[in-house]
Amino acid sequence: MTGSYSIDVTVRLGTMKLKIVKLGWIFILSLSFGIQAFAGEKTLVIGDSHSSCYKGASSNYVTQLRKCIKEHGSEFLSLARSSAAPSHYTGKWPFKNYCRVDNSGQVRTMGGSPNFQKQVSQYDPDHVVVTLGDNVLGYSHSSIVSQYKKLIGVINEKRKRRCTLVTPTLPTTGRTYNKTQTQLNKVIAAIKEAAGDDCKVIDSTKLLPTRMAGDGVHLRPSGYNQWGQAVCSKLYQQEASLATPVETQEQETNLEGFFSPVSL
């Protein structure tokens, strides 16, 4: 009887696939290796309402980030709170709780402060992804720059880490919140200035160049899915040159002829 069977084995650097092909009474074995460029690394994501919990579930944005980041081999942790600004992660936490999504996808509303400085020290991420900015729309340029620079200082306090700052999206349709293009442009300019050579900047207005449906600030679930996917795709385009190997690779070794035919 002819047929084929495959076994997937997860290893630290990715996956190994053992394929067994049966041709009559002869068995042919082949091995393929999928290498994940960021295997063994840790990624910490922080944010505001776009990344926060809602009715016990993580936002679609965080769900997409987690899926993509894990597919690239990195461990994942997300901390977020509605109304949060960069200064809240480095100074006094004015809220009673925050949202935590771990590597397994478990969503928990935690009491108190995330204590970002402690989280960075203990979790020790290799990469920190920051999605903030909509809660500083009314701040001065200098204040926004100062808040982000202080945040970057905490990220790199113990050691130099990769850092990505994700800007807010274009104002969404709807009038619950009055977010203007002028305010947004000021925030994006301040984020880019604060990033300097320490962080990469992903400009969400370039990823989603048309206004999405929403309430003026927040997107609908389908929009968050699209945003998360677009951010993660851009994230790993930027990081490809920093990794070894530079991208997910698949290499197959056919062992036909190496093994003697097996008769049963």
Side-chain angles (χ1 to χ4, degrees):
M1 184 176 180
T2 301
S4 65
Y5 315 87
S6 64
I7 302 172
D8 294 333
V9 181
T10 299
V11 294
R12 190 176 189 276
L13 290 178
T15 59
M16 177 179 72
K17 178 177 287 187
L18 171 63
K19 187 175 183 181
I20 305 172
V21 180
K22 185 173 184 290
L23 300 174
W25 296 106
I26 300 175
F27 290 84
I28 300 173
L29 281 70
S30 66
L31 294 174
S32 63
F33 302 89
I35 301 173
Q36 295 170 316
F38 299 91
E41 293 195 345
K42 294 180 179 180
T43 300
L44 175 62
V45 175
I46 65 169
D48 47 28
S49 57
H50 301 299
S51 309
S52 194
C53 303
Y54 179 69
K55 294 184 178 180
S58 62
S59 78
N60 290 46
Y61 174 74
V62 166
T63 298
Q64 293 301 326
L65 282 185
R66 174 180 164 272
K67 177 183 177 182
C68 180
I69 286 170
K70 289 193 67 177
E71 284 176 352
H72 283 81
S74 180
E75 188 177 307
F76 176 91
L77 177 64
S78 171
L79 310 171
R81 178 59 166 83
S82 298
S83 302
S87 60
H88 296 142
Y89 282 95
T90 59
K92 182 179 179 181
W93 189 255
F95 315 110
K96 295 181 179 179
N97 52 38
Y98 66 96
C99 175
R100 183 182 190 274
V101 183
D102 66 17
N103 192 54
S104 69
Q106 182 182 28
V107 182
R108 298 177 64 187
T109 299
M110 311 292 291
S113 165
N115 198 331
F116 179 64
Q117 188 170 9
K118 183 177 180 180
Q119 290 278 6
V120 170
S121 178
Q122 292 185 346
Y123 186 63
D124 194 22
D126 301 282
H127 185 192
V128 179
V129 180
V130 179
T131 306
L132 294 167
D134 271 327
N135 293 308
V136 293
L137 291 173
Y139 288 64
S140 68
H141 176 86
S142 60
S143 175
I144 299 170
V145 171
S146 176
Q147 287 190 46
Y148 272 95
K149 281 191 172 182
K150 191 171 183 179
L151 184 67
I152 294 168
V154 172
I155 291 171
N156 292 324
E157 185 175 8
K158 299 294 184 181
R159 65 180 177 95
K160 179 68 175 177
R161 307 173 200 273
R162 293 202 311 282
C163 166
T164 301
L165 308 181
V166 182
T167 77
T169 63
L170 290 170
T172 56
T173 60
R175 298 183 179 180
T176 303
Y177 300 96
N178 186 28
K179 173 181 175 179
T180 70
Q181 185 68 52
T182 300
Q183 290 174 321
L184 177 61
N185 291 343
K186 181 179 67 177
V187 169
I188 292 175
I191 289 174
K192 290 180 177 179
E193 180 177 327
D197 296 327
D198 294 313
C199 297
K200 299 287 187 180
V201 176
I202 294 180
D203 188 341
S204 297
T205 66
K206 300 294 191 292
L207 299 181
L208 305 178
T210 58
R211 294 180 65 183
M212 309 289 285
D215 60 10
V217 170
H218 305 96
L219 287 69
R220 292 179 179 172
S222 59
Y224 278 121
N225 280 334
Q226 188 175 341
W227 188 21
Q229 291 167 1
V231 166
C232 206
S233 175
K234 190 68 173 176
L235 189 70
Y236 288 102
Q237 283 180 11
Q238 290 183 333
E239 291 194 353
S241 62
L242 301 176
T244 304
V246 296
E247 59 185 6
T248 300
Q249 302 176 10
E250 184 151 315
Q251 179 178 351
E252 182 167 304
T253 302
N254 194 325
L255 302 182
E256 183 178 2
F258 185 82
F259 294 97
S260 300
V262 179
S263 299
L264 297 178

